[in-house]
Amino acid sequence: MNNLHDIKKFTDELPDLGHKTPLLFVGHGNPMNAIEDNEFSRTWQKLGADIEKPAAVLCISAHWETDGTFVTAMERPKTIHDFYGFPNELFAVNYPAPGNSILANAAKEIVTKTNVELDNSWGLDHGTWSVLKHIYPAADVPVVQLSIDHNKSPQWHYELANELSVLRKKGILIIGSGNIVHNLRLADWRNPLSAYDWADEMNSKFKVLIANGNYGDLINYRSLGKEAMMAVPTAEHYIPLLYILGLKNENESIEFFNDKTIMGSLSMTSIKIS
């Protein structure tokens, strides 16, 4: 277990604002959303205007899976173009947000469930920068990423999230970036605005469970039937949702936005908790 004095040392370096920042789970979808002007990117821009500017962002992205748990600690995280087959314009994007070593160390010290290691090699993957490019286009908010240990269960990730809650009083905006329904193998690339019936039905079922606070069913999504396994064939895009739900307080409200299924089997459905 981490030393309580060390935990206090690092969290004290982050000023206490006396109120909690909102929580966001963002369906990030196609990397092209980073450079397109569409209904999703415009909503992200509106978020930047509506939410009080945070001291820093801590993002759990579907695109950083690791053995163990890591947090980016470099001063200037690089922009990672972790995709292929897209236009050169997308590869030319640079999102030069600074890192934040105080936040990285705070995240390392407040987590007792596992050993969080400081990372100086990763950077910001597109699950993070494709969204933040619209929320904070000036790249003037420090950004730290927390990795997803792919060896751990959904329940484990949900429980770890709760240990991060103290950061919300320190002006840290915690974002989970993934997609609730995400099956690229079945995606209909030729019909970007299409939605399979099963994908829409599962997206609606997940929304009801979220709204009603049935987090046990969401954690044990594999027990929800064949359609759930089609919606979440692999867990990496779903796990960020569990982090955000694990941080929610009982008296906080949930607002859905960008609630749409696209490409047949990909839901952009996102939530704001405040």
Side-chain angles (χ1 to χ4, degrees):
M1 180 174 291
N2 295 321
N3 185 284
L4 291 177
H5 178 267
D6 288 339
I7 294 172
K8 189 174 188 304
K9 168 190 169 185
F10 283 111
T11 55
D12 280 354
E13 291 187 62
L14 300 169
D16 195 325
L17 300 184
H19 63 274
K20 291 192 173 184
T21 56
L23 298 163
L24 296 176
F25 170 76
V26 180
H28 63 248
N30 191 325
M32 288 296 292
N33 288 322
I35 58 175
E36 289 182 348
D37 176 22
N38 58 38
E39 59 185 300
F40 309 123
S41 64
R42 287 191 290 273
T43 303
W44 298 340
Q45 291 165 16
K46 188 174 185 299
L47 281 174
D50 292 345
I51 294 176
E52 180 181 355
K53 194 171 185 178
V57 168
L58 177 66
C59 187
I60 301 96
S61 166
H63 293 279
W64 192 21
E65 291 187 276
T66 53
D67 288 311
T69 303
F70 297 83
V71 62
T72 56
M74 67 285 291
E75 181 180 346
R76 291 285 170 183
K78 62 187 176 184
T79 302
I80 302 172
H81 300 90
D82 49 334
F83 41 71
Y84 60 91
F86 290 92
N88 291 335
E89 181 184 2
L90 186 58
F91 288 93
V93 173
N94 180 46
Y95 189 73
N100 187 311
S101 61
I102 295 175
L103 173 55
N105 278 286
K108 172 180 172 62
E109 295 301 329
I110 64 178
V111 172
T112 62
K113 192 172 182 63
T114 189
N115 179 40
V116 177
E117 298 183 49
L118 299 179
D119 173 87
N120 287 288
S121 62
W122 185 246
L124 305 180
D125 58 57
H126 84 270
T128 297
W129 63 259
S130 68
V131 175
L132 289 180
K133 180 178 179 293
H134 295 288
I135 299 178
Y136 303 115
D140 56 351
V141 175
V143 183
V144 168
Q145 280 199 213
L146 181 71
S147 75
I148 296 173
D149 185 345
H150 62 79
N151 300 303
K152 303 301 185 183
S153 69
Q155 179 70 42
W156 186 92
H157 288 289
Y158 177 82
E159 292 173 359
L160 186 150
N162 187 257
E163 296 192 316
L164 301 171
S165 61
V166 64
L167 296 176
R168 296 184 62 194
K169 289 187 176 180
K170 303 291 185 175
I172 308 303
L173 176 62
I174 303 177
I175 300 176
S177 179
N179 293 98
I180 298 176
V181 176
H182 184 271
N183 191 326
L184 288 186
R185 185 175 62 85
L186 298 179
D188 187 351
W189 294 90
R190 295 184 178 181
N191 296 290
L193 299 181
S194 65
Y196 300 132
D197 289 344
W198 63 264
D200 257 348
E201 289 169 6
M202 279 312 306
N203 188 59
S204 295
K205 187 169 187 176
F206 284 137
K207 282 176 55 187
V208 170
L209 293 173
I210 292 169
N212 291 339
N214 294 334
Y215 297 162
D217 287 341
L218 289 162
I219 292 166
N220 299 305
Y221 67 90
R222 294 183 181 92
S223 67
L224 296 177
K226 177 183 176 182
E227 288 78 11
M229 295 305 297
M230 292 172 67
V232 190
T234 56
E236 77 286 339
H237 277 74
Y238 185 81
I239 291 295
L241 170 68
L242 299 182
Y243 271 86
I244 300 309
L245 297 179
L247 283 158
K248 179 184 178 296
N249 289 343
E250 187 175 342
N251 61 344
E252 291 184 301
S253 61
I254 292 178
E255 174 187 346
F256 292 96
F257 62 95
N258 280 351
D259 186 15
K260 191 171 187 177
T261 305
I262 62 171
M263 294 169 56
S265 56
L266 185 74
S267 74
M268 295 295 292
T269 301
S270 306
I271 63 173
K272 175 185 174 185
I273 295 174
S274 57

